[in-house]
Amino acid sequence: MHLIRKALILFQLNLISFTLQANYDLEKAHEKDLPFDQVNLDLIDEVEFDLNGGMSIMGLFVDGEHLFRFTPVLSEYSHGPIVGPVNKTYNPFRPFRYWRFVTYYNLYSKEERVVDLPRIAEECLDSDRFASYQHTYRVEASVETSLNIADLGIRARLTLSNTLSITRNLKGQSGESAIHTPYIKSKVLIGRTFIQAVDKKTNTVKLYSIGKDSDSIKVDYQDPILYVKRDEVQSCH
């Protein structure tokens, strides 16, 4: 049974490798140079790769899990990477030919009142009453980066627009008044974008820093939730 399980695992790994090679042929990468003239890039980390290990260096380049070997980045950011399309450059001043952008990030919680939706007053009643109301609201995420969104692969991994709706069943309690206020809970993505490059001559995958003036990224309204708070409760006897 142990040998059968081991054989199945090896088959799955080989299948993954074959799929990656079929879908991400480096020789078919888009011909595109980096969108800036900076030549001296800071090397952060590199991973050596043995081509006899059963997967091509091209497979390593596109397999997201292998990117987590870049430990200097992961010590600062707990999420990622978001990867852009693979490109190839013929610029003789670049220390690599194949490259793409990778973005590592952290997520931070955020809560805010939805000022575009009305607050609903629960009036003072002589007896308990039941009612309901519905809110619908559309949120558009903003992306703050100096780089092209298409080059970063943001649209393939993140949701940039959502239409949220909520139906709230309301029980008006005798002797109380209250205000129902709509809020949104969401997450804000804050991170850095790097250049990941492959050197087929030395069988290495390298991670370069772009520079802190141009590599920061911020995206709001991720995983948004629309909800209502019942607040300003007062006794009205």
Side-chain angles (χ1 to χ4, degrees), residues 56-224:
S56 71
I57 194 169
M58 177 274 304
L60 173 66
F61 187 56
V62 299
D63 185 356
E65 293 185 1
H66 287 82
L67 298 180
F68 287 92
R69 295 180 182 178
F70 293 121
T71 52
V73 175
L74 293 178
S75 63
E76 185 177 357
Y77 298 101
S78 58
H79 293 82
I82 298 175
V83 298
V86 180
N87 305 289
K88 59 182 176 182
T89 176
Y90 291 100
N91 188 332
F93 298 103
R94 304 295 185 196
F96 48 79
R97 182 177 179 188
Y98 299 98
W99 68 277
R100 69 176 173 187
F101 287 122
V102 294
T103 300
Y104 292 87
Y105 59 93
N106 292 323
L107 292 172
Y108 300 92
S109 297
K110 180 181 180 181
E111 179 184 79
E112 60 185 308
R113 178 189 162 191
V114 185
V115 295
D116 293 333
L117 292 178
R119 305 174 76 197
I120 295 178
E122 178 185 323
E123 302 293 345
C124 186
L125 301 172
D126 294 331
S127 61
D128 292 351
R129 305 285 180 86
F130 289 91
S132 65
Y133 59 88
Q134 183 175 11
H135 283 316
T136 299
Y137 188 67
R138 183 175 180 83
V139 294
E140 298 283 346
S142 62
V143 182
E144 298 178 16
T145 176
S146 63
L147 302 170
N148 191 317
I149 295 179
D151 292 337
L152 301 181
I154 293 293
R155 294 188 182 278
R157 284 287 302 275
L158 303 179
T159 301
L160 300 183
S161 64
N162 280 283
T163 299
L164 310 175
S165 62
I166 181 174
T167 298
R168 177 74 182 266
N169 293 320
L170 169 65
K171 179 183 178 181
Q173 296 185 354
S174 175
E176 287 185 354
S177 65
I179 300 294
H180 292 245
T181 306
Y183 284 82
I184 285 183
K185 285 182 179 179
S186 63
K187 296 186 182 299
V188 180
L189 178 154
I190 298 178
R192 289 179 61 192
T193 298
F194 302 85
I195 297 170
Q196 183 199 17
V198 60
D199 188 338
K200 296 180 71 174
K201 294 181 181 179
T202 59
N203 295 339
T204 55
V205 178
K206 300 180 179 181
L207 194 71
Y208 292 92
S209 170
I210 299 174
K212 292 197 179 232
D213 292 335
S214 58
D215 65 1
S216 62
I217 182 171
K218 179 180 178 181
V219 186
D220 58 7
Y221 291 121
Q222 296 303 296
D223 300 325

